Amino acid sequence: MREDNQLIVITHLSQLITLVIGFGSLLLPLILWLTQKEKIYQMDTHGKNIINFQLSLIVYCLLCIPLILFLGLGIVGLIVLGIISVVFPVVNALKASKGETPTYPLSLNFIS
């Protein structure tokens, strides 16, 4: 296995592809993780964290949809999730560039 912090940083930042083309925040990191987890040191750990975070965001967005009917709480929730989905990939990409293991808050553990 080789160490490649740049590819790990790119994997974290690939979650932001949704801002450009409207989808792919789960798909692109998933492809990078599945193809490189055996070749790059620490890619498996980072990839699992990213996939768990993206799946958690999807679940939380689905939970916010019915909450829109209750005093607009779902709209506030969607705005907060939008901010979280931009801020934490950037923060964790910076951590990964320094060799640290990232943490994504509110992330459910789908893949362990």
Side-chain angles (χ1 to χ4, degrees):
M1 290 189 141
R2 64 185 170 93
E3 197 168 320
D4 189 356
N5 282 348
Q6 289 179 338
L7 186 60
I8 291 174
V9 169
I10 289 170
T11 306
H12 284 283
L13 293 177
S14 70
Q15 299 173 76
L16 302 177
I17 192 85
T18 300
L19 299 174
V20 178
I21 62 173
F23 66 93
S25 63
L26 175 64
L27 188 60
L28 187 56
L30 180 65
I31 291 169
L32 287 170
W33 172 58
L34 288 175
T35 58
Q36 300 298 319
K37 69 180 180 179
E38 307 280 327
K39 300 173 187 171
I40 307 291
Y41 178 69
Q42 291 290 323
M43 177 61 94
D44 193 40
T45 305
H46 288 267
K48 287 177 183 177
N49 287 336
I50 293 168
I51 300 305
N52 285 331
F53 177 65
Q54 288 299 318
L55 290 173
S56 299
L57 284 177
I58 291 170
V59 169
Y60 294 140
C61 284
L62 291 175
L63 290 174
C64 284
I65 292 171
L67 289 177
I68 291 173
L69 299 175
F70 298 109
L71 303 171
L73 293 176
I75 294 172
V76 174
L78 289 172
I79 291 170
V80 169
L81 287 174
I83 293 169
I84 287 172
S85 69
V86 172
V87 170
F88 283 105
V90 172
V91 169
N92 285 325
L94 292 173
K95 284 183 181 179
S97 70
K98 296 175 185 173
E100 300 173 22
T101 303
T103 55
Y104 285 98
L106 305 173
S107 184
L108 303 173
N109 200 13
F110 294 102
I111 301 172
S112 54

